[in-house]
Every structure is written in structure tokens, then in C-alpha cells.
């Protein structure tokens, strides 16, 4: 497999989406927000009135729908972009993301999407470097203080972010974990472009090594 992947993992509000999107733009690569995929499944589960705790029904939905993430996020062609960050989705997404069968379906789709990109893909999530692309070209783990992460996600609130981080880190299926070979960057108080440049520089130095 010679696809080029930059894997960016980290907790909620660590700056993953913003940074990953800008790195992708700078390199002319594609960008994949895997959190949006778990959110899209969750939005569809809620819309269909399926119990989020019904693992079998949720997994069956996740493996039967077609999720597209660009230019807009859709499920079976229905645009769900406006439903992804509601409070109900914020609460239910950790339960859906802890479902191992849902994760298998999402990981397969993520690999398929990345394989179709001509140059490379910047993929952000929680398990990208550890599970989805363990052989990624570059692995980055972004962190930031809880206060700053909550400010960045001001519509969500500190308690909800803490609860989600705990659920994401303690679950059995692919918990949020820093890969041993990841470059760790603390984005607290740092300029976004500076972080982006550092990641692009890491890729370049790796390429010329
Ligand atoms: O990055 P985000 O906040 O949009 O992610 C939403 C939820 O999806 C998050 O609470 C954990 C889950 N998630 C995951 O389990 N694995 C991923 N690769 C991406 C997100």
C-alpha cells in the first residue's frame, strides 16, 4: 500500500479538524473528518427512532447506509450537515462510536475513501494512527488544555467535552490512544498556521530522510 496518509488523532477540541483541513489544503491532498462519519450514523439512528443502545440495530444501519463526507456530509444522499453538532448527537455519538461493529463498518469505508484519493489524505479522528492506518506516512497526536478545548467548542461546554473524552478514552473498542510513533503537538495558545507548518515540515523532513 503506497497511499500517503497523515493521521491526526486527539481529544475533542484539540484543533484536529481545523489543522487537518489546512494541512490538506497546503499539500493539495484530500481531507477526511472521521468524527463526521460517526456523527452522521448517529443522526440517522436518531432520525429513524432506533435505540442507540440497541447494538445490533445500530450496527445494521451503519453497515447498510452510504456515507459521503465531501463536499457535504450525507447519509444515503440525504444531507445531514446541519444535524451533526446538535446536543442530542453530542450525547449519543459516544455510544454509537463504542459499538465495535459500527467501527468496523466505518474503518472499512475510511480505507476505501483514502484509497480513492490520487495524492494523499489527511485523516483526523481518534483511532486513525492506531487502528485505521497503522502504517500512515506521518502520525500526529494533538492535545490542548481542557479550558482551551472547551472555548473552541463553546456550543458544547466543558462538562460535555469531558464526558465525551472519558467515554472515547475508556471504551473497549479502539479507544482514543496516542500511537507510540506519533509526533505530539500541544496546540494550547498556539497559532493554527504555526501548527500546520510544523506538520508539513515533519512530512518534508521525513520525505528527505
Ligand atoms: O471529532 P468529533 O468530536 O466530531 O467526533 C465525534 C465522536 O466520534 C467522538 O466523541 C468520538 C467519535 N470518533 C471515534 O470514536 N473515532 C474516530 N475516528 C472519530 C470520532
Amino acid at each position: 500500500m503506497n497511499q500517503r496518509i497523515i493521521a491526526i488523532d486527539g481529544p475533542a477540541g484539540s484543533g484536529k479538524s481545523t489543522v487537518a483541513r489546512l494541512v490538506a489544503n497546503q499539500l493539495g491532498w484530500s481531507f477526511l473528518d472521521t468524527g463526521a462519519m460517526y456523527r452522521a450514523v448517529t443522526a440517522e439512528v436518531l432520525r429513524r427512532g432506533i435505540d442507540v443502545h440497541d447494538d445490533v440495530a445500530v450496527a445494521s444501519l451503519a453497515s447498510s447506509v452510504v456515507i459521503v463526507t465531501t463536499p457535504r456530509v450525507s447519509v444515503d444522499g440525504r444531507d445531514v450537515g446541519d444535524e451533526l453538532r446538535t446536543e442530542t448527537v453530542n450525547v449519543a455519538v459516544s455510544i454509537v462510536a463504542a459499538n465495535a461493529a459500527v467501527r468496523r463498518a466505518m474503518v472499512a469505508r475510511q480505507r476505501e475513501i483514502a484509497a480513492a484519493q490520487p495524492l494523499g489524505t489527511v485523516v483526523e479522528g481518534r483511532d486513525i494512527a492506531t487502528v485505521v492506518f497503522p502504517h500512515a506516512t506521518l502520525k500526529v497526536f494533538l492535545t490542548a488544555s481542557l479550558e482551551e478545548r472547551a472555548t473552541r467548542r463553546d456550543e458544547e461546554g466543558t462538562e460535555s467535552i469531558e464526558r465525551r473524552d472519558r467515554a472515547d478514552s475508556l471504551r473497549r473498542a479502539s479507544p482514543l490512544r496516542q500511537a507510540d510513533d506519533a509526533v505530539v503537538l500541544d496546540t494550547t495558545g498556539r497559532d493554527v498556521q504555526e501548527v500546520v507548518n510544523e506538520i508539513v515540515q515533519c512530512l518534508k523532513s521525513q520525505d528527505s530522510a
Side-chain angles (χ1 to χ4, degrees):
M1 189 171 74
N2 58 7
Q3 327 163 287
R4 312 208 74 204
I5 302 282
I6 297 180
I8 304 185
D9 293 304
S14 55
K16 297 186 304 289
S17 295
T18 312
V19 167
R21 204 182 291 275
L22 290 169
V23 169
N25 279 349
Q26 200 151 316
L27 295 170
W29 291 15
S30 306
F31 159 67
L32 178 59
D33 173 356
T34 63
M37 298 174 70
Y38 289 96
R39 286 175 182 274
V41 171
T42 306
E44 187 64 12
V45 163
L46 297 172
R47 190 182 73 90
R48 293 194 194 180
I50 296 171
D51 175 2
V52 284
H53 296 284
D54 183 342
D55 284 353
V56 174
V58 172
S60 144
L61 179 140
S63 51
S64 64
V65 290
V66 175
I67 296 178
V68 170
T69 55
T70 49
R72 294 271 300 172
V73 183
S74 66
V75 178
D76 284 344
R78 191 179 72 86
D79 191 313
V80 293
D82 294 336
E83 298 161 37
L84 300 183
R85 298 200 171 270
T86 60
E87 200 176 332
T88 33
V89 169
N90 283 340
V91 171
V93 69
S94 320
I95 301 159
V96 171
N99 182 320
V102 169
R103 302 200 69 83
R104 280 194 291 279
M106 293 304 108
V107 170
R109 179 78 184 120
Q110 288 154 17
R111 290 179 177 152
E112 203 177 86
I113 292 172
Q117 309 310 316
L119 294 176
T121 314
V122 183
V123 190
E124 62 103 335
R126 303 291 190 290
D127 60 340
I128 309 306
T130 51
V131 175
V132 189
F133 296 108
H135 304 295
T137 321
L138 177 67
K139 300 178 179 182
V140 178
F141 193 86
L142 290 188
T143 62
S145 69
L146 176 63
E147 293 68 33
E148 183 143 338
R149 294 193 291 111
T151 310
R152 290 175 188 165
R153 293 273 173 103
D154 61 355
E155 80 283 12
E156 189 174 352
T158 317
E159 267 170 43
S160 170
I161 288 198
E162 271 189 304
R163 181 198 51 76
R164 217 142 58 77
D165 284 350
R166 217 172 18 248
D168 294 342
S169 307
L170 297 179
R171 70 179 176 225
R172 190 132 42 120
S174 312
L176 167 66
R177 191 174 66 73
Q178 185 186 312
D180 297 336
D181 49 352
V183 175
V184 183
L185 296 178
D186 186 339
T187 65
T188 313
R190 286 192 67 185
D191 175 63
V192 175
Q193 192 55 49
E194 201 184 285
V195 176
V196 170
N197 293 344
E198 193 169 335
I199 294 174
V200 171
Q201 208 43 55
C202 279
L203 181 76
K204 286 188 181 152
S205 27
Q206 200 161 296
D207 280 350
S208 58

